[in-house]
Amino acid sequence: MPKIQGSCLCGQVHYSSTAEEATMTVVCHCPDCQKQSGSAYSTNVLVPTESISFKGESRGQYVVNGDSGQPVTRNFCRNCGSPLTTELQAFDNLAAVKAGTLDDSSWVKPTIQIWCNSAQPWGPIDPSIAKAPANPG
């Protein structure tokens, strides 16, 4: 697996992870990921939050409480608007790296779809990937 690193569309914010491999790769159909991605779902490579470092002055953050009541921190570029990662305290302090921002995403293979109870009918993906109605667990 290539190194987990990437950047925003305009190149002003770069990130990298010291994680040797992803904890899991998830397709999320939740309404928040739909809004953030501007599409039917978001494909995410999960790594420990503390393994990620950012470079660039235009990184912004948007923090809300998730369904768990714990903070969800979305990192993005204030210049171009690209979503980069989502820090999930309630999900064992994992960060969801947005797969489309990786320098090399050729290795990404989702293993589960989550929040399928809010999946859009116009955005189906491979039906052989495991499904969960909300967060797994």
Side-chain angles (χ1 to χ4, degrees), residues 23-132:
T23 302
M24 67 173 54
T25 303
V26 176
V27 171
C28 184
H29 297 277
C30 80
D32 287 354
C33 280
Q34 290 175 21
K35 291 274 187 182
Q36 184 188 41
S37 70
S39 188
Y41 52 84
S42 176
T43 303
N44 305 289
V45 174
L46 276 64
V47 296
T49 298
E50 67 272 3
S51 76
I52 298 178
S53 60
F54 291 92
K55 292 181 184 171
E57 297 297 318
S58 66
R59 177 175 63 125
Q61 292 186 316
Y62 177 66
V63 182
V64 297
N65 284 334
D67 284 348
S68 67
Q70 294 187 32
V72 174
T73 303
R74 295 183 182 273
N75 293 289
F76 63 95
C77 175
R78 287 191 308 258
N79 185 57
C80 67
S82 295
L84 299 167
T85 68
T86 301
E87 298 170 13
L88 306 159
Q89 260 187 20
F91 213 71
D92 294 329
N93 285 313
L94 290 175
V97 174
K98 305 304 175 182
T101 67
L102 290 165
D103 290 344
D104 176 8
S105 61
S106 64
W107 56 271
V108 173
K109 301 216 180 340
T111 56
I112 189 169
Q113 300 179 64
I114 61 173
W115 289 99
C116 291
N117 60 354
S118 53
Q120 296 296 332
W122 47 267
I125 67 168
D126 183 349
S128 69
I129 299 172
K131 295 179 181 178

